[in-house]
Amino acid sequence: MQLPLTLFLVHLTCVHGWKTLRVPHAEGRDDTPTLTALLHNFTMDSTILFEEGHIYNIWTPLAFPSGLQNVEIRIEGNLTYPDDITTVQGIVGSSSFPGAWFSFNGGTNVTLRGSRKPNWGWVDGHGQAWWDVNEQTNRPHGWSFKKITNGVIRDMKIWKPVAWNFATSGSVNLHAFNNRISALSDTDVRPFRLSFSAGGTNMLFEDNFIQNGDDCLTIGSGAKNIHFRNSYCEGGHGLSIGSLGKGGSVADVQDVLIENVIMRSTLYGARFKSWTGGNGLARNITWRNIALEDIYITQNYWDQGVGPKTNSSSINNTRVQDFLFDGFFGTIRDIPYVEGSCVTDPCWYAVPGATGKEVAILDLYPDTASNVIAKDIFARTQTGSAVAVMCNSTTVTNDVGFKCWNGPFVRTSAGF
């Protein structure tokens, strides 16, 4: 039986006009409906507190009211998704699903804050069950932090998320720091989750610890002035721009700096991906001081689920301009291994002619790239074989920092 609303009034405190909602919890019941009914009273100058000592059942999506002003959401207790796959799929597949399990849609001065205590502040996605059966239909994306001005995401801890974690589309002036995403499998199956999807303006991501099975960072169209630094990424696909230009859309990404990142057991270190037939421009992108896997730029990105990779000489491709890869160091895994994200043969990341020893692959189209440079690249292979590159000198004509060919890595003047 649901408790009457009057019993929840003891959870409200007010100090100098600032209100605190201590989120009510009922054992064995979904906590979302009761909280949703109260939120409209806490859209300004408020703290919404998930209290330590409780495991809150967020068994249906939680949508915060639009237009929040001066609101802090503090997750000091633990939160849990439903642990039944079919139940979640039914919710995600419905027409009323808001696009993410936790969603924000507009606001100013909004903080999403976890706990620094090791056993509290976790959000449990129960992803292991999904990974074990390789289920990717109607997965629940995590947190949509959309259209927030002056936002903070800090100290959040995500445990085995099923799908994407944090998306920041349309937000301005965001600081995301000291967050932890733990999406490593207990078995041989591979998690397939994306951590941060940056889609706004003036954003700083720093001091984040990420273990996942997809992009550690992806920067989408419309993103400008993005800084990602001093972080750790393990088990994913790299620090990525895109994918851009799907279905011929016009992309616009500018002024991105990614620096001081440790990449461990990732498919790529730095990565740019755009779809054949796309339009627009990605400009002024720098990756600096990266403990690498590889560098990969492709304008021929594709979706395994829709058929074979497109081969095209179309002049319509997202342009790249002023790309700098500065200070990459580490070991290239040229011993064959199973990366785990393939659903077709050849795999989505297969490059014809690649040997697995490449430190850089520039898969570009003619007249689409200018001022692409890789400097201070120091790499070796696991086997001790010569490090290689793939590059077509007809597609990028400036000195890229190494001899532009399909062959051994030979540094040129721009590479020093």
Side-chain angles (χ1 to χ4, degrees), residues 20 130 169 255 273-274 341 412:
T20 298
W130 293 69
S169 175
D255 304 327
K273 47 183 178 173
S274 66
S341 66
T412 56

Side-chain angles (χ1 to χ4, degrees), residues 83-406:
D83 59 9
D84 178 67
I85 294 175
T86 302
T87 297
V88 175
Q89 288 178 316
I91 294 170
V92 174
S94 70
S95 59
S96 61
F97 183 62
W101 208 260
F102 301 87
S103 58
F104 298 80
N105 188 16
T108 302
N109 299 331
V110 178
T111 296
L112 177 60
R113 181 173 186 166
S115 171
R116 293 197 173 188
K117 295 186 177 180
N119 296 322
W120 293 103
W122 288 95
V123 181
D124 188 353
H126 301 287
Q128 188 70 52
W130 293 69
W131 309 337
D132 286 344
V133 296
N134 194 27
E135 182 57 73
Q136 297 192 28
T137 303
N138 288 337
R139 297 177 296 160
H141 297 326
W143 299 81
S144 175
F145 206 67
K146 184 178 181 181
K147 295 182 180 178
I148 301 296
T149 299
N150 302 332
V152 175
I153 302 173
R154 59 171 298 181
D155 305 322
M156 292 291 292
K157 299 195 293 288
I158 312 298
W159 180 254
K160 297 194 175 184
V162 179
W164 301 348
N165 289 282
F166 294 103
T168 63
S169 175
S171 290
V172 179
N173 300 335
L174 172 76
H175 190 194
F177 64 98
N178 197 42
N179 300 290
R180 184 183 185 99
I181 297 171
S182 295
L184 292 183
S185 176
D186 297 330
T187 64
D188 292 335
V189 298
R190 177 186 178 83
F192 193 72
R193 324 294 142 227
L194 182 151
S195 59
F196 287 101
S197 177
T201 303
N202 300 337
M203 296 185 174
L204 173 60
F205 301 84
E206 60 181 341
D207 302 313
N208 296 298
F209 184 95
I210 298 159
Q211 298 166 308
N212 71 333
D214 201 342
D215 297 322
C216 182
L217 168 71
T218 184
I219 296 178
S221 184
K224 297 180 180 179
N225 195 23
I226 308 298
H227 193 178
F228 185 95
R229 68 185 182 189
N230 305 339
S231 295
Y232 175 88
C233 299
E234 179 181 352
H237 290 165
L239 302 162
S240 301
I241 308 297
S243 60
L244 304 176
K246 186 174 183 179
S249 61
V250 178
D252 180 19
V253 175
Q254 298 185 42
D255 304 327
V256 176
L257 173 60
I258 302 168
E259 62 178 345
N260 305 332
V261 183
I262 295 173
M263 309 296 290
R264 179 182 178 189
S265 299
T266 60
L267 185 62
Y268 302 109
R271 186 176 176 213
F272 172 84
K273 47 183 178 173
S274 66
W275 297 71
T276 299
N279 293 277
L281 174 68
R283 185 184 67 82
N284 193 26
I285 317 294
T286 295
W287 292 261
R288 176 183 296 142
N289 296 336
I290 309 295
L292 61 78
E293 295 303 329
D294 302 330
I295 299 167
Y296 184 32
I297 304 178
T298 179
Q299 292 171 317
N300 200 12
Y301 185 72
W302 68 298
D303 185 346
Q304 288 176 287
V306 300
K309 190 172 185 176
T310 301
N311 291 313
S312 172
S313 58
S314 170
I315 62 172
N316 290 323
N317 287 283
T318 305
R319 268 55 175 174
V320 299
Q321 178 181 322
D322 303 330
F323 275 29
L324 175 61
F325 305 90
D326 181 6
F328 280 65
F329 53 93
T331 301
I332 299 168
R333 293 188 296 174
D334 63 330
I335 296 174
Y337 70 100
V338 177
E339 186 269 334
S341 66
C342 297
V343 296
T344 59
D345 186 12
C347 186
W348 63 268
Y349 57 80
V351 178
T355 65
K357 306 179 189 303
E358 287 79 14
V359 67
I361 298 175
L362 308 187
D363 176 27
L364 299 166
Y365 286 98
D367 302 320
T368 62
S370 61
N371 197 30
V372 177
I373 297 174
K375 62 180 290 187
D376 291 335
I377 308 299
F378 299 95
R380 59 185 179 87
T381 62
Q382 287 176 308
T383 64
S385 301
V387 174
V389 295
M390 297 187 74
C391 179
N392 185 338
S393 61
T394 67
T395 62
V396 53
T397 57
N398 65 274
D399 180 353
V400 297
F402 54 83
K403 184 176 180 179
C404 186
W405 67 340
N406 294 350

